[in-house]
């Protein structure tokens, strides 16, 4: 039941019984999740709950101790699967190559896989950088950019891949509200245009409830709840309610 | 210290299987070659002239005392070719280039750049290791030849101008050219090539397995240099033994 036009649509992601320990300490305690093709799936949870580790397993950077991640029913650990589907990840830290310029970073995928002639690559790179609100930085090196700019370059680099599955690790942290909205719009546009499947890790409640089709809450390596945004909001679990409703309430005593 | 032997052999094997992609990576190979040349030529020149000189200085008076000064050119010539140039150049390159390779790849590992490459389906072995290994195994043998020639000049200068030796240029180089054969040069080249592979594999391997933050990078660099040099010196003995069968 593999797609007739794998290039035209997003892919389904199945995570089954995923467990992972580092140095004897279990970080993921058996995660089960399914992300439907073309869905925007937001993953929220406190710091250190295992969100980044989970993303690394989804794209095949880490090998699980138990359980499996599959793309369209095929295991991600196989190189053939990683070759067949186009996937991209926006790292929490950006993870740009420091020895390359912004333009080289963004164009790297096309250059290394020889997918386009050089002039075309220049055009695509400019287009994707425009999309994330950056221009005139092509020749700069990553260490000359601010944290938010690096993040946006990293998003542009992921967009160049024209992915069927895109993983965002905190896409809007470090961004000002205006750019954050642009990025959120871009995530939605990408879904509409090519039906890409998006898995978004975020602390940003506005982002999650603004764009996600479904939301999962993860705490200490366990999924507490996954469902439509409205159901997450109504969920009575006190942990979830506290996480969703935390506010700054600072009382200054006089 | 040698617990990584297996891993290094696996790395070498994987990179060798990628060899057909070398031409595609030629840009990066050239870049690396340029860096190696830039970082080591001057130093190689200075080292070699002094090594050739000190050998002449050590052996010269002893031979002169016994009336055997006509052998000087041959002895200096051969020892540069077969032993000193390859080993000293390998030590120099381990210090200057091996350390840089481990540091660069190590920091890419620590800052998730290698993860990013993998998510783009770019194989770090072909993107990072292959060009470095290719460049170093071209550069080190060339550097050995360069070092041999400069070492001979250093030896000759000492033989001519040192008051306890005092033989002529002609005497030095006529004995040298009678003694040193092409096979001896090839001997040095071969050693240089093997040492280059060792430095490249050890350094890239250390870089790729870097863990932790900046301190991890520092540890990898130290290990890359120390392990390379130890391996080179041990292997040098066995290579010499092996090459004696072809003498
Ligand atoms: N390579 C690793 N080695 C050891 N422990 C790790 C490793 N990677 C992650 N961990 C541990 O796994 C846990 C989850 O880490 P993770 O980075 O997934 O958190 P997170 O949910 O992304 O948090 P944040 O929102 O702060 O980014 C942490 O306790 C962390 O210490
Ligand atoms: Mg994280």
């Amino acid at each position: 039941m593999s797609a007739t036009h794998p290039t035209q649509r997003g892919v389904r992601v199945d995570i089954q019984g995923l467990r992972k320990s580092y140095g004897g300490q279990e970080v993921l305690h058996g995660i089960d999740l399914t992300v439907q093709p073309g869905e925007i799936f937001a993953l929220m949870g406190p710091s250190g709950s295992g969100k980044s580790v989970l993303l690394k397993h989804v794209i095949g950077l880490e090998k699980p101790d138990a359980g499996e991640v599959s793309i369209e029913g095929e295991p991600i650990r196989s190189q053939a699967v990683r070759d067949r589907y186009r996937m991209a990840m926006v790292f929490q830290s950006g993870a740009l190559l420091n020895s390359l310029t912004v333009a080289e970073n963004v164009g790297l995928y096309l250059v290394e896989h020889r997918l386009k002639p050089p002039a075309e690559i220049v055009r695509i790179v400019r287009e994707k950088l425009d999309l994330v609100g950056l221009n005139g930085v092509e020749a700069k090196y990553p260490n000359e950019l601010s944290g938010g700019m690096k993040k946006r370059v990293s998003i542009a680099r992921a967009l160049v891949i024209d992915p069927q599955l895109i993983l965002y690790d905190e896409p809007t942290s470090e961004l000002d509200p205006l750019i954050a909205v642009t990025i959120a719009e871009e995530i939605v546009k990408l879904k509409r245009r090519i039906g890409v499947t998006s898995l978004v890790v975020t602390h940003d409640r506005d982002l999650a409830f603004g764009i996600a089709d479904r939301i999962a809450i993860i705490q200490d390596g366990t999924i507490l709840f996954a469902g439509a945004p409205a159901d997450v909001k109504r969920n009575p679990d006190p942990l979830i309610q506290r996480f969703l409703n935390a506010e700054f309430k600072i009382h200054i005593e006089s | 210290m040698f617990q990584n032997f297996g891993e290094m052999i696996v790395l070498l094997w994987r990179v060798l299987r990628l060899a057909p992609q070398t031409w595609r990576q030629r840009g990066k190979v050239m870049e690396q070659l340029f860096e190696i040349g830039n970082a080591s030529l001057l130093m190689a020149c200075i080292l070699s002239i002094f090594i050739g000189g000190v050998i002449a200085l050590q052996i010269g008076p002893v031979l002169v005392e016994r009336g055997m000064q006509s052998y000087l050119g041959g002895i200096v010539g051969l020892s540069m070719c077969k032993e000193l140039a390859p080993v000293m150049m390998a030590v120099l390159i381990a210090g200057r280039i091996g350390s840089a390779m481990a540091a660069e790849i190590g920091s890419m590992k620590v800052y998730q750049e290698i993860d990013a490459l993998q998510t783009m389906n770019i194989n770090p072995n072909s993107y990072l290791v292959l060009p470095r290994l290719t460049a170093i195994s071209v550069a080190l043998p060339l550097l050995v030849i360069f070092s041999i020639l400069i070492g001979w000049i250093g030896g000759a200068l000492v033989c001519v101008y040192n008051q306890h030796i005092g033989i002529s240029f002609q005497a030095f180089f006529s004995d040298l050219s009678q003694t040193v054969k092409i096979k001896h040069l090839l001997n040095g080249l071969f050693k240089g090539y093997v040492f280059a592979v060792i430095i490249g594999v050890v350094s890239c391997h250390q870089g790729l397995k870097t863990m932790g933050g900046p301190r991890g990078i520092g540890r990898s660099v130290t290990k890359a240099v120390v392990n390379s040099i130890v391996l080179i010196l041990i292997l040098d003995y066995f290579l010499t033994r092996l090459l004696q069968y072809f003498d």
Side-chain angles (χ1 to χ4, degrees):
Chain A
M1 70 147 262
S2 77
T4 32
H5 295 291
T7 51
Q8 291 298 314
R9 59 194 272 285
V11 291
R12 191 180 80 244
V13 181
D14 287 299
I15 304 170
Q16 286 159 340
L18 199 68
R19 289 177 178 276
K20 180 71 176 182
S21 313
Y22 291 107
Q25 200 173 6
E26 197 167 72
V27 174
L28 298 178
H29 310 285
I31 303 272
D32 293 292
L33 271 184
T34 297
V35 184
Q36 299 298 337
E39 190 176 35
I40 297 180
F41 193 99
L43 185 64
M44 303 182 76
S47 186
S49 53
K51 305 182 295 295
S52 297
V53 171
L54 180 58
L55 283 195
K56 282 189 198 157
H57 281 86
V58 172
I59 202 156
L61 281 176
E62 296 265 0
K63 305 247 171 317
D65 296 339
E68 186 153 73
V69 174
S70 26
I71 305 294
E72 292 287 303
E74 298 172 273
I76 185 77
R77 64 187 143 74
S78 128
Q79 178 65 41
V81 173
R82 293 201 294 269
D83 287 340
R84 182 149 58 240
Y85 300 104
R86 289 188 314 279
M87 299 176 281
M89 172 148 167
V90 177
F91 284 82
Q92 193 164 6
S93 59
L96 300 175
L97 271 65
N98 280 307
S99 56
L100 302 183
T101 63
V102 166
E104 287 167 339
N105 262 291
V106 176
L108 186 63
Y109 179 82
L110 299 176
V111 171
E112 285 301 311
H113 294 289
R114 321 198 134 190
L115 295 171
K116 297 272 156 65
E120 179 79 355
I121 292 177
V122 171
R123 191 189 61 73
I124 295 175
V125 165
R126 181 151 310 146
E127 175 193 308
K128 301 301 177 195
L129 283 173
D130 267 347
L131 221 58
V132 294
L134 288 173
N135 31 43
V137 297
E138 280 95 336
K140 288 201 154 97
Y141 283 88
N143 62 6
E144 302 171 275
L145 304 179
S146 75
M149 288 161 91
K150 280 185 203 160
K151 199 56 142 306
R152 283 186 278 161
V153 174
S154 177
I155 293 172
R157 181 174 71 177
L159 297 182
V160 162
I161 298 176
D162 200 7
Q164 297 167 274
L165 169 65
I166 182 161
L167 311 177
Y168 300 90
D169 200 344
E170 312 266 7
T172 56
S173 67
E174 301 181 272
L175 300 187
D176 64 71
L178 291 175
I179 298 287
V181 168
T182 318
I183 296 296
E185 281 169 2
E186 193 49 41
I187 296 176
V188 175
K189 252 195 273 173
L190 217 58
K191 161 193 158 147
R192 297 233 171 93
R193 191 156 49 93
I194 52 178
V196 59
T197 307
S198 320
L199 181 49
V200 187
V201 162
T202 183
H203 292 303
D204 184 341
R205 287 167 289 187
D206 294 338
L207 175 72
F209 285 92
I211 66 170
D213 300 310
R214 283 193 302 148
I215 295 177
I217 309 283
I218 182 174
Q219 157 107 16
D220 289 336
T222 317
I223 301 286
L224 294 182
F225 183 78
D231 296 334
V232 175
K233 270 204 176 122
R234 278 199 299 269
N235 193 289
D237 188 324
L239 277 167
I240 295 178
Q241 285 307 322
R242 250 198 315 173
F243 188 75
L244 294 184
N245 296 318
E247 300 265 5
F248 288 108
K249 288 198 198 97
I250 298 165
H251 304 287
I252 298 169
E253 276 154 45
S254 49
Chain B
M1 164 174 167
F2 297 116
Q3 81 229 34
N4 309 316
F5 250 140
E7 287 167 31
M8 293 194 298
I9 288 168
V10 170
L11 178 64
L12 180 60
W13 171 240
R14 287 195 178 141
V15 176
L16 285 179
R17 286 204 324 192
L18 292 169
Q21 293 184 22
T22 312
W23 182 244
R24 276 185 65 166
Q25 301 285 355
R26 62 188 180 281
K28 281 183 215 96
V29 174
M30 293 310 292
E31 213 173 276
Q32 290 291 327
L33 271 176
F34 186 75
E35 253 185 70
I36 296 176
N38 214 7
S40 60
L41 267 181
L42 181 64
M43 194 71 106
C45 192
I46 297 171
L47 265 182
S48 305
I49 209 155
F50 276 97
I51 292 167
V54 81
I55 284 298
L57 191 60
Q58 291 277 14
I59 302 172
V62 180
L63 291 189
V64 169
E65 217 171 275
R66 290 162 177 73
M68 293 157 69
Q69 59 270 46
S70 61
Y71 295 111
L72 250 174
I75 293 178
V76 172
L78 274 187
S79 43
M80 276 317 289
C81 264
K82 294 169 75 170
E83 194 58 49
L84 293 167
V87 170
M88 293 314 295
M89 288 307 105
V91 169
L92 171 70
I93 290 294
R96 292 217 68 155
I97 305 301
S99 59
M101 285 181 181
E104 206 177 341
I105 296 180
S107 84
M108 293 184 73
K109 177 77 193 305
V110 167
Y111 297 111
Q112 291 193 310
E113 293 178 30
I114 291 183
D115 283 352
L117 285 177
Q118 275 169 330
T119 65
M120 288 187 271
N121 224 350
I122 298 171
N123 183 346
N125 287 341
S126 67
Y127 186 80
L128 295 172
V129 183
L130 179 64
R132 284 173 171 75
L133 201 59
T134 310
I136 200 172
S137 27
V138 171
L140 188 47
L142 290 180
L143 209 58
V144 168
I145 295 286
F146 175 75
S147 164
I148 291 170
L149 297 176
I150 302 285
W152 287 349
I153 294 171
L157 286 174
V158 170
C159 288
V160 173
Y161 293 109
N162 185 283
Q163 72 242 40
H164 303 296
I165 308 174
I167 64 172
S168 70
F169 268 114
Q170 288 80 349
F172 183 88
F173 278 109
S174 89
D175 183 48
L176 190 152
S177 58
Q178 272 168 29
T179 318
V180 177
K181 302 276 172 351
I182 287 291
K183 68 176 178 191
H184 299 129
L185 286 171
L186 289 178
N187 184 319
L189 272 181
F190 178 71
K191 278 188 174 179
Y193 177 74
V194 174
F195 295 159
V197 172
I198 289 180
I199 297 168
V201 171
V202 169
S203 308
C204 292
H205 171 254
Q206 282 300 337
L208 287 172
K209 69 190 282 272
T210 304
M211 296 276 237
R215 192 178 293 182
I217 300 172
R219 249 193 322 261
S220 290
V221 171
T222 314
K223 273 198 193 158
V225 175
V226 173
N227 291 4
S228 297
I229 292 178
V230 170
L231 268 179
I232 285 165
L233 294 181
I234 293 174
L235 209 72
D236 182 48
Y237 177 85
F238 293 102
L239 274 180
T240 306
R241 196 78 192 82
L242 177 77
L243 288 166
Q244 277 173 352
Y245 290 113
F246 300 96
D247 230 3

